[in-house]
Amino acid sequence: MSATNGLMTSSEYIKHHLQNLTYGQFPDGHWGIAHSAEQAKEMGFWALHLDTLGFSFILGSLFLAVFYLAGKNMTVNTPSGFQNFIESIIDFVNENIRGSFNGNNPLVAPLALTCFIWIILMNTMDLLPIDLLPKIASWIGVDYLKVVPTADPNATFGMSLGIFILMIYYSIKEKGAGGFASELAFHPFGKVMLPVNLLLEGVGLLAKPVSLALRLFGNMYAGELIFILIALFPYWIQWSLSLPWAIFHILIVLLQGFIFMTLVIVYMDMAHQKEH
Amino acid sequence: MNINATLFGQMIMFAMFTWFCMKFVWPPIVAAMEERKKRIESGLIAAERGLSEHKEAQQKAQEMLNQSKDQASEIIANATKQASNIVEDAKGVASQEAQRIKTQAQTEIEQESQRVRNELKDQVSGLVMQGVRSVLGKEVDAKTHQGMLEKLSQTL
């Protein structure tokens, strides 16, 4: 847990912690894992962040496994503590949907639940000691490891673009292509101002996935960065900063999951609304 | 910002997770919860029904009790009335009987006294005849003195 370890300077330490474990094609043509930020950059667009993919997959699988087992062992009679916990989450999600979603779509509730729990789990990775997993990884020869998938815009945009596709799909399905187009073209100023309408509504539509992704990414990236900065302090003072920040961060972890879920529900509701 | 192909990986993963959640995770949990909700609901309804049934039964029992009380008092009143009727009847019958016995006794007494009187008359007339005979010293011819005798016996 210290920046003074090894021969790194502070800025190198920060940069190191903000670098994903990247797999891609080197300029000379062969595929492999980048050993420096420069190499990762040279790989261009067609590269994969193995840490983001790996952690988000593990956490998503964990979420599904736990809930799947809970669903399998559900009892209609007096539920156990664990089942109560699962049920309270389901109830919470259901209540949000009842409050904000007026359509009838069996996809929305599982979608909201997946967003909620997956994001909370990915955010929670931020609460692990900042150097714990990267240090362990370095012992087995992995140079870079970013453990918080939601601090990688690929993860947040991956989710928000998925939501965006669903929004467009259900808008067209529920309102018809014409209905969706007229919603974009004839609001809010009527037919005369069509270009202005298109501009406003188009920006509004595109802003949804972008803001959804950037809000989550920004929060988690900033939170992680502050943990990294705290880790630059001498070890005996770190706890006095990282402890309050971690406690505060618990709130952010849950809040961001909740906000993301709520917005997903609201956006899906908008896509299902026939009258503008 | 470092966007690359990871984006597609994340999108595919997100889609897979959501699909799995929709297919295998959400339905059983919600189904069990719904089932419990229904069970509790029906339990509450049954409890309410039991309560109202109990109330009804209580009411019925009270009604029956009241009814039987009424009936009992009616029966008692009837019985009292009947008893007094019987006593009255008996009284009437008894006094009639007494009257009857009395009149019978009276007639009997009258008849007896008549009979005794007649007997006495006969005896007196016999005695008179005997006395007369002995006074006259000779047999009184009953045939010849029949008329006189009869007159005599009638005056007695």
Side-chain angles (χ1 to χ4, degrees):
Chain A
M1 273 248 215
S2 69
T4 49
N5 210 0
L7 301 163
M8 267 189 231
T9 66
S10 293
S11 103
E12 274 171 348
Y13 176 79
I14 294 169
K15 273 185 190 155
H16 178 260
H17 268 284
L18 294 179
Q19 177 58 44
N20 282 99
L21 178 65
T22 312
Y23 177 86
Q25 192 175 27
F26 286 98
D28 63 5
H30 82 280
W31 290 77
I33 291 169
H35 292 286
S36 69
E38 289 73 38
Q39 282 181 347
K41 205 162 222 162
E42 280 165 2
M43 285 172 179
F45 182 78
W46 291 108
L48 294 173
H49 290 162
L50 295 181
D51 43 7
T52 300
L53 287 167
F55 280 117
S56 58
F57 182 75
I58 290 167
L59 293 168
S61 305
L62 180 74
F63 147 62
L64 289 176
V66 167
F67 275 70
Y68 179 72
L69 286 178
K72 236 182 175 173
N73 299 322
M74 278 297 264
T75 163
V76 177
N77 302 319
T78 323
S80 62
F82 173 63
Q83 190 182 327
N84 267 330
F85 173 67
I86 299 290
E87 281 186 19
S88 65
I89 293 173
I90 300 279
D91 261 339
F92 177 69
V93 173
N94 252 338
E95 215 146 283
N96 273 290
I97 288 171
R98 258 198 292 280
S100 316
F101 186 71
N102 297 312
N104 184 17
N105 190 339
L107 171 71
V108 174
L111 180 72
L113 177 72
T114 309
C115 289
F116 187 47
I117 303 298
W118 197 25
I119 287 175
I120 284 177
L121 286 176
M122 291 194 286
N123 291 353
T124 308
M125 296 300 285
D126 220 358
L127 297 174
L128 288 177
I130 191 86
D131 271 316
L132 179 67
L133 292 179
K135 197 80 198 164
I136 293 170
S138 74
W139 292 337
I140 57 169
V142 176
D143 300 329
Y144 297 100
L145 197 68
K146 240 178 115 183
V147 296
V148 189
T150 39
D152 181 349
N154 288 304
T156 61
F157 271 102
M159 292 180 89
S160 75
L161 287 179
I163 302 293
F164 187 58
I165 290 168
L166 285 176
M167 276 164 65
I168 296 200
Y169 172 74
Y170 281 114
S171 287
I172 291 171
K173 193 180 164 200
E174 294 294 318
K175 303 164 193 166
F180 183 45
S182 77
E183 195 180 284
L184 290 177
F186 303 143
H187 291 277
F189 295 126
K191 290 180 189 184
V192 202
M193 306 274 275
L194 192 137
V196 183
N197 291 340
L198 264 183
L199 185 71
L200 280 175
E201 290 284 327
V203 168
L205 184 67
L206 291 175
K208 282 171 191 165
V210 173
S211 67
L212 200 58
L214 286 183
R215 179 184 305 107
L216 179 58
F217 162 69
N219 271 281
M220 298 326 292
Y221 187 82
E224 197 194 15
L225 199 60
I226 287 175
F227 276 120
I228 295 170
L229 293 176
I230 289 170
L232 291 171
F233 281 88
Y235 71 91
W236 45 268
I237 196 95
Q238 280 182 18
W239 67 272
S240 68
L241 294 162
S242 65
L243 181 70
W245 181 245
I247 291 170
F248 177 62
H249 210 62
I250 293 172
L251 179 72
I252 296 177
V253 161
L254 296 173
L255 194 64
Q256 286 304 317
F258 173 66
I259 290 172
F260 198 99
M261 175 188 77
T262 308
L263 286 175
V264 164
I265 295 168
V266 169
Y267 291 163
M268 293 310 283
D269 182 53
M270 284 173 162
H272 283 74
Q273 255 167 16
K274 294 221 167 68
E275 319 264 287
H276 193 64
Chain B
M1 294 272 279
N2 193 359
I3 295 285
N4 60 22
T6 312
L7 181 71
F8 300 125
Q10 291 292 131
M11 276 173 79
I12 293 165
M13 213 186 298
F14 181 45
M16 268 166 35
F17 285 157
T18 303
W19 173 80
F20 187 90
C21 184
M22 186 175 79
K23 205 88 185 164
F24 300 109
V25 173
W26 186 265
I29 296 178
V30 171
M33 286 167 76
E34 275 303 308
E35 169 89 31
R36 179 169 334 112
K37 206 166 124 190
K38 259 184 222 154
R39 210 177 268 190
I40 290 171
E41 223 165 38
S42 64
L44 283 176
I45 287 170
E48 212 155 292
R49 203 175 45 216
L51 211 68
S52 72
E53 264 170 21
H54 172 74
K55 226 178 196 173
E56 218 167 273
Q58 235 173 3
Q59 219 167 17
K60 218 179 235 175
Q62 191 60 45
E63 244 167 57
M64 275 168 86
L65 205 68
N66 287 347
Q67 217 169 21
S68 47
K69 259 186 199 164
D70 285 355
Q71 252 171 357
S73 58
E74 203 176 316
I75 288 169
I76 288 171
N78 273 350
T80 328
K81 212 165 97 186
Q82 215 166 346
S84 66
N85 276 356
I86 288 170
V87 169
E88 283 304 308
D89 282 0
K91 261 187 197 163
V93 168
S95 64
Q96 264 176 9
E97 186 72 14
Q99 197 61 43
R100 196 179 58 82
I101 290 170
K102 208 170 114 188
T103 41
Q104 202 180 358
Q106 253 167 355
T107 47
E108 248 170 52
I109 288 166
E110 249 162 62
Q111 275 173 356
E112 190 69 9
S113 67
Q114 192 66 40
R115 194 182 54 80
V116 168
R117 196 177 287 163
N118 287 346
E119 212 167 278
L120 274 175
K121 238 187 237 172
D122 284 353
Q123 274 180 1
V124 167
S125 63
L127 276 175
V128 168
M129 286 294 279
Q130 236 173 348
V132 169
R133 203 176 290 147
S134 56
V135 169
L136 293 179
K138 71 172 186 173
E139 194 77 30
V140 178
D141 187 10
K143 272 182 194 156
T144 49
H145 301 289
Q146 188 69 41
M148 189 194 65
L149 283 174
E150 264 176 24
K151 240 183 228 164
L152 186 71
S153 72
Q154 239 152 37
T155 54
L156 280 168

